Amino acid sequence: MKLTNEEKTAAIETSLRVLSNYNQEKGSLIPTLQQIQNELGYVPSPAMEVVAEHFNVMKVDVYSIVTFYNQFRLTPPGKNQVKVCMGTACHMRGGNIIMDSWKRRLEIDCGETSEDREFSLDRVACVGCCTQAPVTLINDEIHAKVTPTRVEGLLYAYQLDKDKENKKAGEDN
Amino acid sequence: MGKKINLTIDGKKIQAMEGDKILWAALENDIYIPHLCAMKEQQQSPFAGCRLCFIEIEGKPRPVAACTEPALEGMVVNTRSESIDRLVEAGFNLIMSNHHIDCKNCAASGACELQKIAKERKIRLKPKKLVQLDMNLPKDHSKDCIIYDPNKCVLCGRCVTACRTEGTAVLGLAYRGFERMVTTFGDIPLGETECSGCGSCANVCPAGALIQTNK
Amino acid sequence: MVGAATCGRAAGAQNITKVIRDELASRQIEATVIEVGCMGHCYAEPLVLIQKPDNPTICYGYVSEGLASMLVREFIAGDDPCIEFALAAMEVNDFIPTFEDFPRGMVEKKVVMQHCGIIDPENIDHYIANGGYEALAKAIHKSGEEVVSEIKTSGLRGRGGAGFPTGVKWETCRQFKEDVKYVICNADEGDPGAFMDRTLLESNPHQVLEGLALAAHAVGASKGYLYIRAEYPLAVERIEKAINQAEESGLLGESILGTDFNLTLEIFQGSGAFVCGEETALIASMEGEPGIPRHRPPFPAEAGLWGKPTVINNVKTLSYIPHIIRKGADWFRETGTPDSPGTAVFALAGKVINTGLVEVPMGVTLSQLVYDVGSGIDGGKQFKAVQIGGPSGGCLPESFLETAIDFDSLNQAGAMMGSGGMVVMDEDDCMVEIARYFLDFTQNESCGKCTFCRLGTKQMLEILERITKGEGALEDIDTLLNLAKNVKTGSLCNLGKTAPNPVLSTLKHFRNEYEAHITEGRCPSLMCLNLIAYYILPDKCERSCDACIGSCPVESIFSNEDRIKVVDQEKCVKCKSCMDACPPQYSAVVKLSPPELVQEKENDNG
């Protein structure tokens, strides 16, 4: 994925700002990457290069960390992040069916972002709400006991919210 | 350090330096133990990833990796037994199920550690009962003096070490699990990195994944 | 008090809190509304506890917004405690039974969960009022050696899974005369199906901190970390608050309680790698590396974080420490079995009626857990197996129901205590699919360093996938067994060494299910999607009802000339929506396996 120049600048500026709060001890390396991911939503190459320089490590080593841990994304996430829990309890209660429903409705595969960057779809290992299985997280809000029909409902609710916003934006203009 | 100790491997009484791991004690006394990832310079913190150098030590209930076990005075070691041979063969089969076998066209043929292990232990190169787990990754021809074929890589990590000690540190191990691979920052081709083309990676590669071409 | 741990929040606890606050405000009633942690009765979330003077504290379950405002109206403002909605009372009284009066209460014995869901996790005074930090105050004037010896005598075994004696670990670390040592609380709870650690962190954070402080004092460390998964934001938030409060109260930081004992605690967030639950991988990730295990020895107690002696204990293990120091090793040994003293915390999930967190003495039987605590199987179905210990554990069939559960008996049975995930399965759960699921998990989470784990689990998964698709061969079973044995012996770390357990245990106890998939192309539990088809029984279909058609997300159901509904097998994605939508009085939608049965049925019907 090619980054725009604005995205590159934002990545570098954010990384430098985050790094100014951390010392150069290697123990701070992962917390720094987490902070950058929190702010940007992903960890792009320019950010990794800045981080590598700060901690005086090879940039391929930073790449190796970012590709190792599930938490880090290399590409920008969608505006709305859908995460389907794939823990045991969710699996037993049809987590994969829910995942299929999201894939079908959003027309993207797990780990992808939709064309319009509105949605991204990911799997998460257990979020610890096993008794409410199957669960889906949308932007960190937990939705319990999800069914394929509920998936439709959640998307519909999202569409309504978006319409409302558009209308409001239209009125404000 | 510097003190010599005595131990027995496969019935042969040998001497080793105190602190040396059994693998090196054996190899230096002409006793072959299959191995891919071990590097003597790193024997104090061994990588221990290839899981081929299994041996039995008398008094220990389970097989252990020779690269991680220090040689001790009076130790009695066996490198061959039915259960050890089976375990080593199983490990070797797994590696081969993920190695693109193409000896005929491979520049490393003849100098290949995999061929050597197969010959020493009389194991078929192509495993019988396992499916071939090919990732079909593209070969990297971008550097004129090095060809990198990730489908042959056995993930021993030796090239990464070599690239750091003798080269320009462009290689690293990235991703996780089955997708783990030797690669560069951002997976860019070697030709676009700071690679100096020193060839130290190809020198240590046991499986013909990195080949130096004399252009 | 509203149960507002992550599970409660998922069930809508925050809305309930708001309704109660609004209702109280509109009536100008003075009452304190507290968001507490989790009591473990997760099946009945959202939960509300009401403490009213002259009344026993009553716990209400399945609280809707309507019920919440009614409770304020009738009970708090009026005097009707709405007994019909009460789950149980928290203390003995004349008119409502307490939790102890139910079979579950009789089996349960709460130690580390005693105050969960009852005290405010964000208020240190609640913890102190219940005996919190007494153990630290007591131990701080004793030598570290005495503390270690008390824990050794107690026989406490690590609750992270392997069951290594905690006292021995501490003693090893204590021996090394180094200026810098570390203590780490391992809260990288990654087992799918386990949420005990999350609950303890969210519901009683100070208990964990006190345990960690005692560990630090015992081994001579002045720096500690809590390694918490980033997926547990609420736990991180509550631990952060708790650390600040403890520092303000002089219970952490410089010269704790006026002594020369210093301890600073810091949170490190795990970034999503199951393997980091393994000690050496956890350390690698704290040192700014990918979480890849190293060869042991040296063990962390000798050379851990930054090469210094380090004690790493699980959240539950640490939570027991304050209780043992306060009440003594002998008290601790009164519960449980001689070799596994104390209690065990299980996350009971799956097909039991009452899911949730339970704390029981070591040595209770599986049947007590499933039937007394969990109230049996949901929906009148037949019990099939219990999966214990997550991806490292195994599936135990009915014949093990009377097995007493402790570390050693589970190992013998081919399962593992693991960190305490317990998923109950019924006749609808396919054992091959469960094995495939867990292997898929470990295979995804394998770090990729060593041959056996990286490729052995991948090969095993390939075979299981073939079998669940009905493409397996009988000789696959032998290959699978051989691979399992070799991965167990050959892998570098415990993730790989235990990964084959789900496969081995299901093959041992449910080999017939594997064979049905292979030889008959049939999934006996009607679970494997490739081997089932949805079919609408013509004689049961009500014709004028279109519930199934409306529910189908891919428009695969149509009406035939007799207005009977028919599933277009080509289009069907097997999502089960139609089966759920078909009104129970008709129950016309059925699953058939093998899928060829559909054709047979259709032929029968002409």
mmCIF file of all heavy atoms in Angstrom, chain A residues 26-27 30 34 64-65 68-71 86-88 91-93 104 126 128 130-131 148, chain C residues 42 192 198 229 269 271-272 285-286 288-291 350 355 425 429 433-434 437 553 573:
data_model
loop_
_atom_site.group_PDB
_atom_site.id
_atom_site.type_symbol
_atom_site.label_atom_id
_atom_site.label_comp_id
_atom_site.label_asym_id
_atom_site.label_seq_id
_atom_site.Cartn_x
_atom_site.Cartn_y
_atom_site.Cartn_z
ATOM 1 N N LYS A 26 15.930 -0.149 25.513
ATOM 2 C CA LYS A 26 15.203 -1.009 24.587
ATOM 3 C C LYS A 26 13.868 -1.502 25.147
ATOM 4 O O LYS A 26 12.957 -1.843 24.393
ATOM 5 C CB LYS A 26 16.085 -2.203 24.186
ATOM 6 C CG LYS A 26 16.185 -2.359 22.684
ATOM 7 C CD LYS A 26 16.989 -3.582 22.328
ATOM 8 C CE LYS A 26 16.253 -4.394 21.278
ATOM 9 N NZ LYS A 26 16.804 -5.743 21.125
ATOM 10 N N GLY A 27 13.766 -1.516 26.473
ATOM 11 C CA GLY A 27 12.509 -1.925 27.098
ATOM 12 C C GLY A 27 11.356 -1.022 26.697
ATOM 13 O O GLY A 27 10.182 -1.389 26.809
ATOM 14 N N ILE A 30 8.689 -1.504 22.536
ATOM 15 C CA ILE A 30 7.322 -1.942 22.240
ATOM 16 C C ILE A 30 6.281 -0.939 22.753
ATOM 17 O O ILE A 30 5.350 -0.594 22.017
ATOM 18 C CB ILE A 30 7.096 -3.380 22.729
ATOM 19 C CG1 ILE A 30 7.934 -4.330 21.869
ATOM 20 C CG2 ILE A 30 5.614 -3.775 22.666
ATOM 21 C CD1 ILE A 30 7.852 -5.791 22.214
ATOM 22 N N GLN A 34 3.370 0.801 20.508
ATOM 23 C CA GLN A 34 1.954 0.745 20.890
ATOM 24 C C GLN A 34 1.354 2.147 20.890
ATOM 25 O O GLN A 34 0.238 2.359 20.429
ATOM 26 C CB GLN A 34 1.807 0.126 22.290
ATOM 27 C CG GLN A 34 2.047 -1.376 22.293
ATOM 28 C CD GLN A 34 2.148 -1.950 23.697
ATOM 29 O OE1 GLN A 34 2.546 -1.267 24.639
ATOM 30 N NE2 GLN A 34 1.820 -3.222 23.842
ATOM 31 N N SER A 64 10.507 -6.740 12.350
ATOM 32 C CA SER A 64 10.291 -8.078 12.852
ATOM 33 C C SER A 64 9.336 -8.069 14.057
ATOM 34 O O SER A 64 8.495 -8.953 14.201
ATOM 35 C CB SER A 64 11.675 -8.675 13.096
ATOM 36 O OG SER A 64 11.815 -9.333 14.238
ATOM 37 N N ILE A 65 9.408 -7.034 14.879
ATOM 38 C CA ILE A 65 8.470 -6.918 16.016
ATOM 39 C C ILE A 65 7.055 -6.621 15.521
ATOM 40 O O ILE A 65 6.082 -7.243 15.935
ATOM 41 C CB ILE A 65 8.936 -5.791 16.967
ATOM 42 C CG1 ILE A 65 10.199 -6.237 17.692
ATOM 43 C CG2 ILE A 65 7.845 -5.413 17.958
ATOM 44 C CD1 ILE A 65 10.869 -5.161 18.479
ATOM 45 N N PHE A 68 5.384 -9.512 14.103
ATOM 46 C CA PHE A 68 5.231 -10.652 15.013
ATOM 47 C C PHE A 68 3.953 -10.538 15.844
ATOM 48 O O PHE A 68 3.218 -11.504 16.012
ATOM 49 C CB PHE A 68 6.445 -10.736 15.947
ATOM 50 C CG PHE A 68 6.438 -11.940 16.846
ATOM 51 C CD1 PHE A 68 6.996 -13.135 16.422
ATOM 52 C CD2 PHE A 68 5.865 -11.896 18.109
ATOM 53 C CE1 PHE A 68 6.986 -14.255 17.241
ATOM 54 C CE2 PHE A 68 5.850 -13.012 18.930
ATOM 55 C CZ PHE A 68 6.414 -14.198 18.496
ATOM 56 N N TYR A 69 3.701 -9.359 16.374
ATOM 57 C CA TYR A 69 2.578 -9.205 17.304
ATOM 58 C C TYR A 69 1.284 -8.865 16.574
ATOM 59 O O TYR A 69 1.270 -8.009 15.700
ATOM 60 C CB TYR A 69 2.885 -8.118 18.336
ATOM 61 C CG TYR A 69 4.017 -8.484 19.260
ATOM 62 C CD1 TYR A 69 5.294 -7.971 19.061
ATOM 63 C CD2 TYR A 69 3.823 -9.355 20.323
ATOM 64 C CE1 TYR A 69 6.344 -8.308 19.904
ATOM 65 C CE2 TYR A 69 4.867 -9.694 21.173
ATOM 66 C CZ TYR A 69 6.124 -9.168 20.954
ATOM 67 O OH TYR A 69 7.151 -9.510 21.786
ATOM 68 N N ASN A 70 0.207 -9.528 16.997
ATOM 69 C CA ASN A 70 -1.108 -9.313 16.379
ATOM 70 C C ASN A 70 -1.591 -7.883 16.455
ATOM 71 O O ASN A 70 -2.344 -7.422 15.612
ATOM 72 C CB ASN A 70 -2.166 -10.139 17.115
ATOM 73 C CG ASN A 70 -2.066 -11.592 16.773
ATOM 74 O OD1 ASN A 70 -1.363 -11.951 15.837
ATOM 75 N ND2 ASN A 70 -2.756 -12.414 17.533
ATOM 76 N N GLN A 71 -1.201 -7.204 17.531
ATOM 77 C CA GLN A 71 -1.762 -5.884 17.795
ATOM 78 C C GLN A 71 -1.411 -4.868 16.709
ATOM 79 O O GLN A 71 -2.176 -3.952 16.452
ATOM 80 C CB GLN A 71 -1.209 -5.408 19.144
ATOM 81 C CG GLN A 71 -1.841 -4.143 19.657
ATOM 82 C CD GLN A 71 -1.093 -3.612 20.873
ATOM 83 O OE1 GLN A 71 0.036 -3.988 21.155
ATOM 84 N NE2 GLN A 71 -1.737 -2.730 21.594
ATOM 85 N N MET A 86 -12.787 -14.913 18.369
ATOM 86 C CA MET A 86 -12.654 -16.291 17.936
ATOM 87 C C MET A 86 -12.199 -17.187 19.088
ATOM 88 O O MET A 86 -11.520 -18.178 18.885
ATOM 89 C CB MET A 86 -11.671 -16.377 16.765
ATOM 90 C CG MET A 86 -12.229 -15.784 15.496
ATOM 91 S SD MET A 86 -13.764 -16.587 15.014
ATOM 92 C CE MET A 86 -13.756 -16.287 13.290
ATOM 93 N N GLY A 87 -12.547 -16.776 20.301
ATOM 94 C CA GLY A 87 -12.224 -17.608 21.457
ATOM 95 C C GLY A 87 -13.029 -18.899 21.427
ATOM 96 O O GLY A 87 -13.936 -19.062 20.613
ATOM 97 N N THR A 88 -12.692 -19.816 22.337
ATOM 98 C CA THR A 88 -13.355 -21.126 22.329
ATOM 99 C C THR A 88 -14.864 -21.010 22.455
ATOM 100 O O THR A 88 -15.610 -21.584 21.673
ATOM 101 C CB THR A 88 -12.874 -21.998 23.498
ATOM 102 O OG1 THR A 88 -11.482 -21.859 23.598
ATOM 103 C CG2 THR A 88 -13.240 -23.437 23.287
ATOM 104 N N HIS A 91 -16.383 -19.606 19.454
ATOM 105 C CA HIS A 91 -16.324 -20.572 18.365
ATOM 106 C C HIS A 91 -17.437 -21.607 18.498
ATOM 107 O O HIS A 91 -18.114 -21.951 17.537
ATOM 108 C CB HIS A 91 -14.965 -21.262 18.370
ATOM 109 C CG HIS A 91 -14.838 -22.342 17.337
ATOM 110 N ND1 HIS A 91 -14.661 -22.070 16.014
ATOM 111 C CD2 HIS A 91 -14.904 -23.687 17.430
ATOM 112 C CE1 HIS A 91 -14.601 -23.198 15.340
ATOM 113 N NE2 HIS A 91 -14.750 -24.197 16.179
ATOM 114 N N MET A 92 -17.636 -22.095 19.741
ATOM 115 C CA MET A 92 -18.638 -23.122 19.983
ATOM 116 C C MET A 92 -20.036 -22.605 19.702
ATOM 117 O O MET A 92 -20.951 -23.347 19.415
ATOM 118 C CB MET A 92 -18.609 -23.572 21.436
ATOM 119 C CG MET A 92 -17.250 -23.984 21.913
ATOM 120 S SD MET A 92 -16.936 -25.632 21.431
ATOM 121 C CE MET A 92 -18.314 -26.393 22.191
ATOM 122 N N ARG A 93 -20.201 -21.311 19.894
ATOM 123 C CA ARG A 93 -21.518 -20.743 19.654
ATOM 124 C C ARG A 93 -21.579 -20.059 18.292
ATOM 125 O O ARG A 93 -22.348 -19.126 18.088
ATOM 126 C CB ARG A 93 -21.907 -19.808 20.798
ATOM 127 C CG ARG A 93 -22.046 -20.552 22.125
ATOM 128 C CD ARG A 93 -22.900 -19.802 23.119
ATOM 129 N NE ARG A 93 -22.971 -20.512 24.391
ATOM 130 C CZ ARG A 93 -24.018 -21.241 24.787
ATOM 131 N NH1 ARG A 93 -25.064 -21.348 24.008
ATOM 132 N NH2 ARG A 93 -24.001 -21.836 25.959
ATOM 133 N N ARG A 104 -19.256 -11.401 4.437
ATOM 134 C CA ARG A 104 -20.213 -11.340 3.351
ATOM 135 C C ARG A 104 -20.788 -9.945 3.241
ATOM 136 O O ARG A 104 -20.889 -9.375 2.165
ATOM 137 C CB ARG A 104 -21.311 -12.367 3.622
ATOM 138 C CG ARG A 104 -22.158 -12.716 2.445
ATOM 139 C CD ARG A 104 -22.959 -13.981 2.693
ATOM 140 N NE ARG A 104 -23.696 -13.930 3.940
ATOM 141 C CZ ARG A 104 -23.584 -14.823 4.917
ATOM 142 N NH1 ARG A 104 -22.771 -15.844 4.795
ATOM 143 N NH2 ARG A 104 -24.292 -14.707 6.016
ATOM 144 N N CYS A 126 -9.838 -14.467 22.130
ATOM 145 C CA CYS A 126 -10.683 -14.201 23.301
ATOM 146 C C CYS A 126 -10.591 -12.807 23.933
ATOM 147 O O CYS A 126 -9.525 -12.354 24.314
ATOM 148 C CB CYS A 126 -10.354 -15.228 24.373
ATOM 149 S SG CYS A 126 -11.609 -15.325 25.623
ATOM 150 N N GLY A 128 -12.424 -12.334 26.554
ATOM 151 C CA GLY A 128 -12.773 -12.647 27.935
ATOM 152 C C GLY A 128 -14.237 -12.432 28.273
ATOM 153 O O GLY A 128 -14.590 -12.228 29.426
ATOM 154 N N CYS A 130 -16.612 -14.723 27.520
ATOM 155 C CA CYS A 130 -17.039 -16.019 27.007
ATOM 156 C C CYS A 130 -18.489 -16.333 27.309
ATOM 157 O O CYS A 130 -19.134 -17.069 26.579
ATOM 158 C CB CYS A 130 -16.158 -17.104 27.577
ATOM 159 S SG CYS A 130 -14.426 -16.711 27.387
ATOM 160 N N THR A 131 -19.000 -15.787 28.407
ATOM 161 C CA THR A 131 -20.365 -16.137 28.768
ATOM 162 C C THR A 131 -21.369 -15.384 27.907
ATOM 163 O O THR A 131 -22.543 -15.698 27.919
ATOM 164 C CB THR A 131 -20.620 -15.833 30.242
ATOM 165 O OG1 THR A 131 -20.316 -14.457 30.458
ATOM 166 C CG2 THR A 131 -19.735 -16.683 31.118
ATOM 167 N N PRO A 148 -26.369 -13.740 12.834
ATOM 168 C CA PRO A 148 -26.264 -13.150 11.491
ATOM 169 C C PRO A 148 -27.267 -11.998 11.284
ATOM 170 O O PRO A 148 -26.937 -10.996 10.652
ATOM 171 C CB PRO A 148 -26.579 -14.326 10.570
ATOM 172 C CG PRO A 148 -26.163 -15.529 11.334
ATOM 173 C CD PRO A 148 -26.463 -15.214 12.761
ATOM 174 N N CYS C 42 -21.759 -14.920 35.840
ATOM 175 C CA CYS C 42 -21.852 -14.197 34.573
ATOM 176 C C CYS C 42 -23.104 -14.540 33.769
ATOM 177 O O CYS C 42 -23.555 -13.755 32.956
ATOM 178 C CB CYS C 42 -20.642 -14.471 33.710
ATOM 179 S SG CYS C 42 -19.097 -14.262 34.583
ATOM 180 N N PRO C 192 -7.961 -19.096 24.788
ATOM 181 C CA PRO C 192 -9.322 -18.753 24.398
ATOM 182 C C PRO C 192 -10.265 -19.481 25.337
ATOM 183 O O PRO C 192 -10.100 -20.676 25.562
ATOM 184 C CB PRO C 192 -9.425 -19.292 22.976
ATOM 185 C CG PRO C 192 -8.396 -20.358 22.884
ATOM 186 C CD PRO C 192 -7.315 -20.031 23.867
ATOM 187 N N ARG C 198 -8.481 -11.807 34.049
ATOM 188 C CA ARG C 198 -9.116 -10.528 33.733
ATOM 189 C C ARG C 198 -10.036 -10.123 34.865
ATOM 190 O O ARG C 198 -10.020 -8.992 35.344
ATOM 191 C CB ARG C 198 -9.924 -10.664 32.435
ATOM 192 C CG ARG C 198 -10.383 -9.361 31.863
ATOM 193 C CD ARG C 198 -11.679 -9.527 31.101
ATOM 194 N NE ARG C 198 -12.794 -9.651 32.021
ATOM 195 C CZ ARG C 198 -13.893 -10.318 31.784
ATOM 196 N NH1 ARG C 198 -14.045 -10.938 30.666
ATOM 197 N NH2 ARG C 198 -14.840 -10.373 32.681
ATOM 198 N N ARG C 229 -2.335 -8.122 28.987
ATOM 199 C CA ARG C 229 -2.687 -8.068 27.564
ATOM 200 C C ARG C 229 -3.344 -6.735 27.219
ATOM 201 O O ARG C 229 -4.186 -6.249 27.956
ATOM 202 C CB ARG C 229 -3.752 -9.116 27.212
ATOM 203 C CG ARG C 229 -3.446 -10.498 27.499
ATOM 204 C CD ARG C 229 -4.718 -11.301 27.289
ATOM 205 N NE ARG C 229 -4.972 -11.498 25.859
ATOM 206 C CZ ARG C 229 -6.134 -11.854 25.365
ATOM 207 N NH1 ARG C 229 -7.169 -12.010 26.155
ATOM 208 N NH2 ARG C 229 -6.284 -12.053 24.089
ATOM 209 N N GLN C 269 2.175 -3.562 28.621
ATOM 210 C CA GLN C 269 1.051 -4.149 27.894
ATOM 211 C C GLN C 269 1.520 -5.133 26.825
ATOM 212 O O GLN C 269 2.344 -4.801 25.990
ATOM 213 C CB GLN C 269 0.224 -3.050 27.234
ATOM 214 C CG GLN C 269 -0.479 -2.187 28.266
ATOM 215 C CD GLN C 269 -1.585 -1.362 27.645
ATOM 216 O OE1 GLN C 269 -2.343 -1.846 26.815
ATOM 217 N NE2 GLN C 269 -1.689 -0.115 28.049
ATOM 218 N N SER C 271 1.303 -7.288 23.479
ATOM 219 C CA SER C 271 0.718 -6.810 22.226
ATOM 220 C C SER C 271 0.070 -7.888 21.373
ATOM 221 O O SER C 271 0.042 -7.773 20.160
ATOM 222 C CB SER C 271 1.746 -6.079 21.378
ATOM 223 O OG SER C 271 2.937 -5.966 22.019
ATOM 224 N N GLY C 272 -0.398 -8.930 22.015
ATOM 225 C CA GLY C 272 -1.167 -9.880 21.232
ATOM 226 C C GLY C 272 -0.327 -10.996 20.667
ATOM 227 O O GLY C 272 -0.131 -11.097 19.462
ATOM 228 N N SER C 285 9.765 -10.127 25.097
ATOM 229 C CA SER C 285 8.952 -9.019 24.610
ATOM 230 C C SER C 285 9.144 -7.785 25.479
ATOM 231 O O SER C 285 9.082 -6.664 24.998
ATOM 232 C CB SER C 285 7.482 -9.426 24.491
ATOM 233 O OG SER C 285 6.830 -9.317 25.718
ATOM 234 N N MET C 286 9.417 -7.972 26.776
ATOM 235 C CA MET C 286 9.677 -6.799 27.619
ATOM 236 C C MET C 286 11.023 -6.168 27.286
ATOM 237 O O MET C 286 11.266 -5.004 27.560
ATOM 238 C CB MET C 286 9.642 -7.190 29.099
ATOM 239 C CG MET C 286 8.227 -7.510 29.561
ATOM 240 S SD MET C 286 8.151 -7.870 31.309
ATOM 241 C CE MET C 286 8.560 -6.277 32.011
ATOM 242 N N GLY C 288 12.026 -5.694 24.350
ATOM 243 C CA GLY C 288 11.932 -5.071 23.035
ATOM 244 C C GLY C 288 12.261 -6.014 21.891
ATOM 245 O O GLY C 288 12.874 -5.615 20.900
ATOM 246 N N GLU C 289 11.890 -7.280 22.038
ATOM 247 C CA GLU C 289 12.140 -8.268 20.990
ATOM 248 C C GLU C 289 10.815 -8.950 20.642
ATOM 249 O O GLU C 289 9.867 -8.879 21.403
ATOM 250 C CB GLU C 289 13.073 -9.372 21.521
ATOM 251 C CG GLU C 289 14.317 -8.882 22.198
ATOM 252 C CD GLU C 289 15.492 -8.879 21.248
ATOM 253 O OE1 GLU C 289 15.385 -9.542 20.216
ATOM 254 O OE2 GLU C 289 16.492 -8.204 21.549
ATOM 255 N N PRO C 290 10.779 -9.658 19.518
ATOM 256 C CA PRO C 290 9.613 -10.513 19.292
ATOM 257 C C PRO C 290 9.539 -11.549 20.419
ATOM 258 O O PRO C 290 10.580 -11.930 20.958
ATOM 259 C CB PRO C 290 9.932 -11.195 17.956
ATOM 260 C CG PRO C 290 10.954 -10.340 17.302
ATOM 261 C CD PRO C 290 11.738 -9.717 18.404
ATOM 262 N N GLY C 291 8.322 -11.954 20.771
ATOM 263 C CA GLY C 291 8.172 -12.882 21.897
ATOM 264 C C GLY C 291 8.521 -14.298 21.524
ATOM 265 O O GLY C 291 7.644 -15.126 21.305
ATOM 266 N N GLY C 350 -19.400 -22.601 27.756
ATOM 267 C CA GLY C 350 -19.907 -23.644 26.891
ATOM 268 C C GLY C 350 -21.360 -23.933 27.174
ATOM 269 O O GLY C 350 -22.137 -23.025 27.446
ATOM 270 N N THR C 355 -23.125 -20.374 33.340
ATOM 271 C CA THR C 355 -21.733 -20.129 33.022
ATOM 272 C C THR C 355 -21.200 -19.093 33.994
ATOM 273 O O THR C 355 -21.959 -18.424 34.672
ATOM 274 C CB THR C 355 -21.609 -19.580 31.598
ATOM 275 O OG1 THR C 355 -22.481 -18.452 31.489
ATOM 276 C CG2 THR C 355 -22.008 -20.619 30.580
ATOM 277 N N MET C 425 -19.089 -29.378 26.699
ATOM 278 C CA MET C 425 -19.608 -29.638 25.368
ATOM 279 C C MET C 425 -20.712 -30.678 25.389
ATOM 280 O O MET C 425 -20.677 -31.606 26.208
ATOM 281 C CB MET C 425 -18.462 -30.082 24.472
ATOM 282 C CG MET C 425 -17.580 -28.882 24.183
ATOM 283 S SD MET C 425 -16.122 -29.263 23.279
ATOM 284 C CE MET C 425 -15.121 -29.907 24.544
ATOM 285 N N ASP C 429 -21.588 -30.859 19.747
ATOM 286 C CA ASP C 429 -20.226 -30.411 19.514
ATOM 287 C C ASP C 429 -19.370 -31.543 18.965
ATOM 288 O O ASP C 429 -19.286 -32.614 19.559
ATOM 289 C CB ASP C 429 -19.622 -29.882 20.815
ATOM 290 C CG ASP C 429 -20.395 -28.678 21.329
ATOM 291 O OD1 ASP C 429 -20.716 -27.814 20.497
ATOM 292 O OD2 ASP C 429 -20.686 -28.616 22.528
ATOM 293 N N GLU C 433 -13.761 -31.365 15.226
ATOM 294 C CA GLU C 433 -13.773 -29.936 14.984
ATOM 295 C C GLU C 433 -13.123 -29.191 16.157
ATOM 296 O O GLU C 433 -12.382 -28.220 15.969
ATOM 297 C CB GLU C 433 -15.224 -29.486 14.740
ATOM 298 C CG GLU C 433 -15.507 -28.005 14.800
ATOM 299 C CD GLU C 433 -14.661 -27.149 13.872
ATOM 300 O OE1 GLU C 433 -14.165 -27.668 12.857
ATOM 301 O OE2 GLU C 433 -14.498 -25.959 14.189
ATOM 302 N N ILE C 434 -13.370 -29.648 17.394
ATOM 303 C CA ILE C 434 -12.752 -29.019 18.565
ATOM 304 C C ILE C 434 -11.237 -29.168 18.485
ATOM 305 O O ILE C 434 -10.488 -28.219 18.708
ATOM 306 C CB ILE C 434 -13.269 -29.681 19.869
ATOM 307 C CG1 ILE C 434 -14.737 -29.358 20.061
ATOM 308 C CG2 ILE C 434 -12.456 -29.260 21.067
ATOM 309 C CD1 ILE C 434 -15.036 -27.886 20.086
ATOM 310 N N TYR C 437 -10.007 -26.864 15.905
ATOM 311 C CA TYR C 437 -10.050 -25.478 16.380
ATOM 312 C C TYR C 437 -8.827 -25.147 17.239
ATOM 313 O O TYR C 437 -8.163 -24.132 17.040
ATOM 314 C CB TYR C 437 -11.335 -25.236 17.174
ATOM 315 C CG TYR C 437 -11.296 -23.952 17.943
ATOM 316 C CD1 TYR C 437 -11.492 -22.733 17.290
ATOM 317 C CD2 TYR C 437 -11.025 -23.924 19.309
ATOM 318 C CE1 TYR C 437 -11.427 -21.544 17.977
ATOM 319 C CE2 TYR C 437 -10.951 -22.744 20.003
ATOM 320 C CZ TYR C 437 -11.152 -21.553 19.335
ATOM 321 O OH TYR C 437 -11.054 -20.376 20.025
ATOM 322 N N PRO C 553 -29.722 -14.801 4.892
ATOM 323 C CA PRO C 553 -28.948 -13.641 4.426
ATOM 324 C C PRO C 553 -28.538 -13.758 2.953
ATOM 325 O O PRO C 553 -28.060 -12.788 2.388
ATOM 326 C CB PRO C 553 -27.716 -13.650 5.337
ATOM 327 C CG PRO C 553 -27.560 -15.068 5.771
ATOM 328 C CD PRO C 553 -28.933 -15.676 5.776
ATOM 329 N N VAL C 573 -25.325 -20.940 2.770
ATOM 330 C CA VAL C 573 -24.012 -20.772 3.401
ATOM 331 C C VAL C 573 -23.973 -21.422 4.774
ATOM 332 O O VAL C 573 -23.032 -21.254 5.532
ATOM 333 C CB VAL C 573 -23.615 -19.283 3.501
ATOM 334 C CG1 VAL C 573 -23.353 -18.716 2.128
ATOM 335 C CG2 VAL C 573 -24.686 -18.479 4.223
#
